[in-house]
Each structure stands twice: as structure tokens, then as C-alpha cells.
Amino acid sequence: MNAPTIPPAAGLRDLISREVKASELLRALLVVGPFVAAYFISRETALLNLGLVAVSLLIPALRLHLATKVVAWHYLAILITFATLFFAAPIKPLFVLLTALAGFLAVAVTRYGEHFRTLGNWVFIAAVYLACEVREGVGAAEALRHAGMIIVSSPVALALVCGIQIYDQRRGKAAVSSFGPPAAEWFLPAAATAMAVFAAAALVEVLDLAQGQWVMWSAASVVVGDLSASTDKLKQRAIGACVGVPLGFLAGLALPQNRAGYALAVLAATLTLISFSRYIVGFGLRCFFIALAASFAGGASGIAEERVANVITGGAFGLIAVALTDIVWQRMIRKDRSSA
């Protein structure tokens, strides 16, 4: 007897249901969509960056079931870190040191609860990305105006995320009162993250690399545990960049440059931060939409090579930092045992 065949439409629905987190996608669309629509109406680019603030607040809020009070503290941490890095950016050595410190603190907070890593990550990612993005290719006055717009308008992002949390909690999803047990080994990954981010930020500043936030973000992103886990994370990011960026670039070549396409591509890239079950799928699509957005904006020349190179370079710094800290730690353990 032949096995029953599955209709293609049903198979596609099953695949989408497995890969896409529909509930989180809808909530992300509700908090990011208004800023993209406002950008399309006003042409104010700062509004697009507010989408990153919103999704950076939303991801920990949904995953950790945060109370609105904690979301507000998270919001303040993002703004303070962003403002600190923004004003430090003209002084390159200071910017490098403070960025490394931000990377260290993002992981060090796990000494008070392992779930704080999610909060720390989404402070670091948002603040570093915005500090670099706001100053990219503009003068000091325009960068200051852009940063001011983000800070002044950002309470809207906080209100949207808190509104979703209040709605979910009224439907029975209780807010957490604990952030998990303290991490037993918090210092080693925190030190590795600081080393990787320091090296990445120093390289960006010395070589004046375009879109340097990609290097720093990748350096911190691959520090997820031991060397094997970090290598696997870098492999997924490299595959996602090598596949997604060229495809996005090619799609952009086939489509006309227009502001509506750019806005939608930015919206889609932001939504990939939260909407997919598998990291490699989400990251690959994020790279695709970032390259597509650059094509719509008329600035895609060289972005494929830039994005892939930055992802791999930053990830390499992360791997080296994980390996070095592990070697030092093992030597310290052997030394303590021999002197005991």
C-alpha cells in the first residue's frame, strides 16, 4: 500500500509553522510597524532606528515574561549606554574601551541570574548599533540631531512594548519574579566578550571600517559558551551571511530603487531578530533584507563583501577570545592544584 501523499500546500504550512514564531512576529510587527510607517510619511531616518529600540525591548520582554517595571529599566539601560557610546565616539580610544566595558557588563550581570544574559545582550546590541549607525557618514551636527530624535521619540517604543506586556499579563501570562540561578562561571565569558569586542572595536577605529557595528556585534555574538559552541555559532553566521547577502544584492539589482521597498526591507530585517525558530534561518534572512535595503537605497556597492567579511572577522575575534580565556583558566587551575 502506498503511503498517503501530503499536499504541497499542507507541507508548506507545516514548514512555516515550524520555522516562524507567529505570535512573536505579530507582536514585533505591532511595535516596529508604526515607526516604519512614520518614516515613510515623514522621511525622518531616525524613526527607522527606533524600530531597533522597540524590538530590543520586546525580545527579552516576551522571552522572559518581564514585568513592565523591568522593561522600563531595560529601556533606561539602552538609552544610557547609547548616549555614553555616542558622545565617546569622537575619542576613539575611549570609545573602544567603553564598548569593551559594555560587552563585559552584558555578560557579567549573569552573576545575579543567568537570564540576565538576554537583557544584557539586547542592551549591548541596541546601544552599539545605534551609536555607530547614527554617526555613519554624517557630520557632528546631523548626528547629534539624529541621536536627539531617537532619545526624544523613544518613549513611544517603550509604551508600545509595555502595552503588549500588559495585554499578555491580563490574559494570564504572569510576570516573572526571578531571573534564574546566578551563573557559576560568569567571569570567563564576560572577559572573553570584553576581549573580543575590544579587538573588534579597535580594528574598526584604526581602519575606519564602514558599518563597524557588524564587526563588534559579531565578536560578542559568538561568545556563547565553550569553543565548540562558539565555533558552531560562527559557522551559522558565516553561512547566513554568505548566502543571504549575495541573494539580497541580486534581488536588489532586479528591482528599482524606491523608498517604499527600502522601508519594507528594513522592517523585514528587524522582524527577523525575533520571528524564526532556527538562528541560521533568521540570520540568513536578516542578511538578505539588509542587502536588499541597501540596494533600494542605492548603496549596495560592495555590501556583500563588507557584510561577509565583517561577520567572519568579528566572529574570529570572538573565537580567539574564547580560546585564550579558556587556556588561561586551565593554566590557573593546574597551578592551583600543583600548589595545593
Side-chain angles (χ1 to χ4, degrees):
M1 182 180 293
N2 294 330
T5 59
I6 300 174
L12 180 61
R13 283 197 301 269
D14 290 342
L15 176 64
I16 292 175
S17 65
R18 288 196 304 270
E19 296 292 345
V20 179
K21 301 176 181 178
S23 175
E24 295 189 6
L25 173 60
L26 176 60
R27 284 159 173 74
L29 189 59
L30 290 173
V31 301
V32 178
F35 296 113
V36 175
Y39 157 76
F40 188 73
I41 295 169
S42 67
R43 298 175 181 264
E44 175 55 63
T45 55
L47 295 172
L48 284 178
N49 285 326
L50 280 171
L52 178 62
V53 176
V55 82
S56 297
L57 292 172
L58 183 67
I59 291 171
L62 292 182
R63 291 179 182 173
L64 303 180
H65 306 291
L66 300 180
T68 53
K69 177 175 65 175
V70 181
V71 176
W73 282 111
H74 181 205
Y75 162 78
L76 288 175
I78 290 174
L79 288 194
I80 291 169
T81 309
F82 162 56
T84 301
L85 296 179
F86 174 80
F87 286 112
I91 309 170
K92 293 186 175 184
L94 179 61
F95 177 78
V96 171
L97 288 171
L98 289 176
T99 304
L101 176 62
F104 177 84
L105 294 175
V107 182
V109 290
T110 58
R111 69 178 298 185
Y112 303 107
E114 59 185 14
H115 295 161
F116 273 114
R117 177 68 187 265
T118 302
L119 279 169
N121 283 347
W122 288 103
V123 170
F124 176 82
I125 290 170
V128 170
Y129 184 93
L130 291 175
C132 294
E133 181 73 14
V134 166
R135 288 190 174 274
E136 187 81 26
V138 299
E142 176 61 18
L144 186 60
R145 187 197 69 82
H146 195 149
M149 279 289 298
I150 290 173
I151 291 173
V152 169
S153 304
S154 61
V156 179
L158 174 63
L160 289 170
V161 175
C162 286
I164 285 175
Q165 287 302 92
I166 291 170
Y167 172 78
D168 284 345
Q169 287 161 19
R170 285 181 175 176
R171 294 184 65 197
K173 294 182 180 179
V176 298
S177 56
S178 170
F179 289 91
E185 297 182 0
W186 62 269
F187 182 78
L188 210 61
T193 303
M195 288 172 56
V197 172
F198 180 88
L203 181 71
V204 168
E205 296 299 334
V206 169
L207 299 182
D208 197 23
L209 296 179
Q211 301 295 322
Q213 63 268 25
W214 296 344
V215 186
M216 291 176 263
W217 184 344
S218 292
S221 177
V222 301
V223 183
V224 292
D226 58 19
L227 190 59
S228 176
S230 296
T231 302
D232 184 62
K233 183 71 174 290
L234 176 56
K235 186 187 301 181
Q236 292 186 61
R237 290 177 66 83
I239 292 171
C242 289
V243 174
V245 172
L247 289 178
F249 178 70
L250 291 173
L253 289 177
L255 297 170
Q257 295 179 14
N258 64 86
R259 196 161 59 89
Y262 173 74
L264 290 174
V266 171
L267 172 62
T270 306
L271 294 178
T272 62
L273 290 165
I274 190 173
S275 305
F276 292 92
S277 300
R278 287 193 295 168
Y279 181 83
I280 190 171
V281 174
F283 186 74
L285 285 171
R286 183 152 63 252
C287 292
F288 172 86
F289 286 119
I290 287 171
L292 183 60
S295 296
F296 281 132
S301 178
I303 190 173
E305 297 86 350
E306 253 179 30
R307 178 72 179 184
V308 173
N310 288 350
V311 165
I312 294 174
T313 301
F317 282 131
L319 287 185
I320 293 169
V322 170
L324 287 176
T325 52
D326 185 62
I327 290 170
V328 172
W329 183 253
Q330 294 299 329
R331 285 184 176 179
M332 289 175 62
I333 291 176
R334 286 196 295 268
K335 185 177 180 181
D336 288 343
R337 286 174 178 174
S338 62
S339 61

